[in-house]
Amino acid sequence: MHLTDPLSTSREEGDAWTRLEFEARLRDMGKRYHIHHPFNVRLNSGECSPQQIRGWVANRFYYQINIPLKDAAILSNCGDRATRREWVVRLLDHDGWGEQEGGIEAWTRLGKAVGLSREALWSLELVVPGVRFAVDAYVNFAQRAPWQEGVCASLTEMFAPQIHRDRLAAWPLNYPWIAADGLEYFRSRIPLAQRDVDHGLRVTLDHFTTRSQQERALGILQFKLDILWQMLDAIEHAFPG
């Protein structure tokens, strides 16, 4: 897959899709989600070596620590107070607050469970250039794009609960050497992802109302899908087995 231009739109202007039609087209893009990537299929089928799993966890960690930066960028571009009040919880979900450790810390525990020390994970020494490039491109997009487009790019969350369920079902059977408490991140994200989708989808359906805007939204979502796919391409190449 190649990173698409999220700013490109169709030159042909047709009638706008209805709200239901537009949502259906957004959801149909789940067939391009990285749940179907060959590396992810092998990962959930028990075919990955410990080295490959550690490589995936370490590189995905770079994405995890950049999610709050992406969300902060969307907030900084958003002049709507009501939206900011809903969106800010995403930062807290990952960074944590009070006694809540947050998703980044939960991912750190996943690293420990697969045999990565905290120091090795946070050093980012295992992060490969392709992953760094893809994640940085996503953060850069959120910084530069109108906030509604940043919200639209987050809609890959629509497809996330299933990939988390797959890991929770398959990993304990296929990789019994991974401590069970290390999988808590996947468990915690299932309800949070649905909450985030409800908000992000509402914003997207409300904002992208003409046909050209709707087609632009599909291009933005494809851009984010390409980001996630490219990450696995890079990981697969760097950790062949």
Side-chain angles (χ1 to χ4, degrees):
M1 280 197 173
H2 301 285
L3 298 184
T4 55
D5 179 2
L7 304 181
S8 64
T9 58
S10 171
R11 294 184 179 180
E12 297 183 3
E13 180 72 27
D15 293 335
W17 294 308
T18 67
R19 196 175 179 92
L20 288 176
E21 289 170 338
F22 182 30
E23 179 177 346
R25 288 177 180 269
L26 290 167
R27 291 189 180 278
D28 186 57
M29 296 185 74
K31 62 190 177 187
R32 305 174 191 178
Y33 191 50
H34 69 295
I35 195 172
H36 304 295
H37 191 285
F39 185 89
N40 184 73
V41 173
R42 292 196 300 273
L43 185 65
N44 284 348
S45 299
E47 299 175 21
C48 285
S49 68
Q51 180 190 26
Q52 288 176 308
I53 295 173
R54 292 181 191 117
W56 178 80
V57 170
N59 278 270
R60 182 77 184 195
F61 182 67
Y62 187 66
Y63 178 79
Q64 300 304 132
I65 63 174
N66 275 279
I67 289 175
L69 302 184
K70 175 268 299 185
D71 288 325
I74 292 172
L75 281 175
S76 72
N77 292 330
C78 180
D80 182 67
R81 180 171 180 251
T83 297
R84 294 198 306 268
R85 284 168 60 88
E86 285 194 67
W87 201 265
V88 71
V89 299
R90 294 173 179 244
L91 276 79
L92 300 177
D93 287 342
H94 283 85
D95 279 337
W97 76 99
E99 298 300 318
Q100 303 297 317
E101 66 176 9
I104 291 174
E105 192 60 34
W107 197 273
T108 301
R109 289 197 286 112
L110 173 61
K112 180 180 179 181
V114 302
L116 290 168
S117 69
R118 186 181 188 89
E119 292 73 20
L121 200 61
W122 279 95
S123 73
L124 305 181
E125 61 189 14
L126 294 176
V127 178
V128 299
V131 167
R132 193 180 296 270
F133 176 83
V135 173
D136 290 353
Y138 181 36
V139 175
N140 184 60
F141 173 75
Q143 290 170 340
R144 295 173 179 269
W147 67 268
Q148 296 95 335
E149 294 189 358
V151 169
C152 178
S154 76
L155 284 179
T156 50
E157 290 280 7
M158 289 189 295
F159 321 123
Q162 187 57 54
I163 206 169
H164 296 319
R165 292 188 187 100
D166 289 350
R167 291 166 185 157
L168 289 168
W171 282 34
L173 297 175
N174 294 327
Y175 308 110
W177 55 272
I178 300 177
D181 62 354
L183 306 182
E184 180 55 33
Y185 176 86
F186 306 138
R187 190 171 294 106
S188 69
R189 284 306 305 170
I190 293 173
L192 295 180
Q194 187 57 58
R195 179 207 65 195
D196 292 346
V197 167
D198 291 343
H199 181 214
L201 191 57
R202 186 170 72 249
V203 168
T204 299
L205 296 177
D206 286 345
H207 177 73
F208 296 87
T209 55
T210 69
R211 178 65 171 270
S212 62
Q213 288 174 331
Q214 292 168 338
E215 291 180 350
R216 180 182 178 88
L218 295 179
I220 291 168
L221 185 54
Q222 182 61 60
F223 166 73
K224 175 62 184 304
L225 289 165
D226 286 349
I227 291 288
L228 297 172
W229 196 276
Q230 170 60 30
M231 289 173 62
L232 286 185
D233 277 351
I235 294 169
E236 183 176 47
H237 178 75
F239 301 93

